[in-house]
Amino acid sequence: MDFTTLTFVSAAEALEKGELSSRELCRMLIEKRESIDSRLKAYIHFNPEKIMAHADEADERRAAGRAYSKFDGLPLAVKDNFAVRGEPCTCASRILKDFISPYDATVTSRLRRAGIIFAGRTNMDEFAMGSTNENSGWEPVSNPWDLQRIPGGSSGGSAAAVGAGEALAALGSDTGGSIRLPAGYCGAVGLKPTYGRVSRFGLVAFASSLDQIGPLTRDTRDSACLLDLMAGPDSKDSTTLPQPPENFTDRLAEGGLKGMRIGLPKEYMDGEGLDPEVKNTVEQAAEKMRQEGAEIIEVSLPHNPYAVAAYYIIAPAEASANLARFDGIRYGMRDEEGAKQGILELYRKTRAKGFGDEVKRRIILGTYVLSSGSHDAYYLRAQKVRTLIRQDFNEAFRQCDILLGPTAPAPASRKGELTSPLEMYLTDAYTLPANLAGICAISLPAAFSKSGLPIAVQLLGPALGEKQLLRTAHQFEQINQLQIGTPDIPA
Ligand code: GLN
């Protein structure tokens, strides 16, 4: 059996049929990682002994007829900003270098109860701030399809690991596209659920009104399956929605595209800087869906061109408040020199040494837009724009069931190519509107560029519209028949 051809669901089936043991599965994962990760740097922490010990326990449970679930013994990679009890959680920041999480996030405890093995923590932009992974406090991740290119961010390690076949599936977080953008660049499927669908308890907060947790997988069935395992209300996160858990997997293939109304937002298709190959991929996707009986409608999201500006005020504002807790006293790093000079110097020196440039930029920007003289001009205004963006989506979803557009303006750029923060921020133009509106969206690999890089399309659904979103994505996957495979990575 070849590890790179397995999915989360197919591996579960193989375990159930006894064709594979968790030990064999985890061994394949460990070997694959050993052979390629020195090139990719997708993982920050990886403990083969611990993984194998968990695998043996899972095999014993299954043999005794006491498997926790049909997924018992499956390995899952986890972005390094989730709390997993007893494991490091650094958010790829020097300030959390030696931090060990004393508790489980709600998602990790739910997955743990299903018998999932947390197999490695994936690299990311520091505190999930970035779109290229070049802001990792450790080493930047490479794109598996071209090692000179970025994997996207901020869940770049998760996306590269899945795209390269050194993870069955992975968890990521998406505040302004951080699951979908890297999934798109690396040839993985990336799902951002509706805000409140999945508990954020135990996810290190970046921008609390935007953050959502979701899976990065090899196909849409795996996305549905992982969402089933994670979603649902949680008393530890008051922003979770009361909807009881639904089953997204069992009837995923039902429905078909016939009669569905698919909206193409004109602002997405006419946007400045949209690469012709990406535009063509989205148009081809629309055409294929039309041939299956979907109606393609042009819709308008008139305030979307202001989304990047609004997001880069709101997200830093929330980040500046959330990151105040990293003060040299409560978590992680503490500058002892500073401590001798009093509390202010302790804060200053710890934060100056512990945070990287992009994180500092966000904290400064966020503090500025919240300050009394600027609050109304920037923060309040951005919130008003956010409301208009949400209303645009509501209006669009009155005219159509699902929206279709690009995930990113172009395929993955070269490392170092985006030289200013603004250039990087602009790559989020198609992904971050969904976070501002709180709706659900999924990125799917759809084609390869002439230069051999994955090109993705994005589908967006209304709040709590995951069932239809996943079904539509699944239909597209079936009709598009892209054999994505995994790239050859020289040793
Ligand atoms: N690229 C965006 C940012 O830097 C989104 C990050 C994310 O979704 N975590 O803020």
Side-chain angles (χ1 to χ4, degrees), residues 73-409:
L74 291 184
L76 180 72
V78 181
K79 188 176 180 180
D80 204 33
N81 58 348
F82 288 75
V84 179
R85 194 180 57 235
E87 292 208 357
C89 172
T90 70
C91 300
S93 180
R94 289 187 299 278
I95 211 162
L96 286 174
K97 188 170 146 292
D98 299 315
F99 179 73
I100 302 290
S101 179
Y103 69 97
D104 263 338
T106 295
V107 287
T108 46
S109 81
R110 285 184 183 172
L111 292 164
R112 196 190 285 284
R113 267 186 268 137
I116 304 301
I117 299 172
F118 303 120
R121 306 305 297 271
T122 54
N123 206 342
M124 55 188 283
D125 284 301
E126 184 178 7
F127 284 106
M129 297 174 191
S131 318
T132 64
N133 232 286
E134 292 167 302
N135 300 331
S136 168
W138 316 129
E139 286 172 288
V141 180
S142 297
N143 188 308
W145 298 92
D146 178 348
L147 299 174
Q148 307 312 318
R149 290 180 187 264
I150 55 150
S154 66
S155 311
S158 289
V162 173
E166 57 164 343
L168 270 186
L171 294 188
S173 63
D174 192 311
T175 304
S178 276
I179 291 175
R180 290 161 289 153
L181 187 77
Y185 287 161
C186 293
V189 175
L191 171 69
K192 183 202 94 73
T194 304
Y195 183 78
R197 180 68 96 170
V198 179
S199 167
R200 293 178 295 108
F201 177 77
L203 170 73
V204 177
F206 163 8
S208 309
S209 77
L210 300 158
D211 298 341
Q212 253 302 283
I213 290 168
L216 292 98
T217 56
R218 305 183 64 84
D219 65 15
T220 52
R221 184 169 295 281
D222 279 8
S223 303
C225 171
L226 277 158
L227 184 61
D228 281 344
L229 288 168
M230 295 192 291
D234 176 22
S235 59
K236 292 181 178 144
D237 173 0
S238 60
T239 63
T240 47
L241 297 164
Q243 271 67 21
E246 284 177 60
N247 184 316
F248 297 108
T249 318
D250 285 352
R251 293 163 61 206
L252 183 67
E254 283 178 22
L257 290 169
K258 201 165 168 41
M260 273 197 67
R261 296 167 307 163
I262 306 286
L264 273 182
K266 78 173 186 322
E267 291 77 8
Y268 285 14
M269 299 308 285
D270 302 340
E272 222 181 287
L274 183 62
D275 176 277
E277 279 189 285
V278 175
K279 186 171 182 179
N280 185 43
T281 303
V282 177
E283 285 168 349
Q284 297 277 326
E287 178 52 26
K288 286 180 187 167
M289 292 168 108
R290 198 185 60 73
Q291 283 169 11
E292 293 296 311
E295 189 188 343
I296 308 295
I297 305 169
E298 189 186 88
V299 295
S300 176
L301 300 168
H303 299 93
N304 257 248
Y306 307 104
V308 172
Y311 171 91
Y312 279 98
I313 289 175
I314 295 168
E318 295 187 24
S320 70
N322 275 327
L323 267 60
R325 74 193 64 174
F326 303 105
D327 55 7
I329 297 170
R330 284 175 286 187
Y331 307 90
M333 191 178 136
R334 169 187 175 89
D335 186 80
E336 291 304 340
E337 264 317 294
K340 287 185 202 142
Q341 296 161 305
I343 188 114
L344 269 182
E345 279 311 299
L346 169 61
Y347 291 164
R348 269 196 201 118
K349 292 213 161 76
T350 303
R351 289 165 69 85
K353 286 186 189 156
F355 290 138
D357 289 348
E358 183 63 27
V359 173
K360 287 179 188 159
R361 187 176 297 121
R362 305 280 176 112
I363 293 173
I364 293 168
L365 191 65
T367 310
Y368 178 74
V369 299
L370 288 176
S371 62
S372 60
S374 318
H375 179 273
D376 291 6
Y378 294 103
Y379 183 70
L380 205 61
R381 208 146 175 213
Q383 292 291 13
K384 288 180 181 166
V385 173
R386 182 177 189 176
T387 301
L388 294 171
I389 288 168
R390 188 180 300 131
Q391 286 169 355
D392 282 357
F393 279 111
N394 288 344
E395 184 50 39
F397 286 123
R398 274 194 272 277
Q399 298 164 46
C400 62
D401 304 305
I402 293 286
L403 293 169
L404 165 69
T407 299

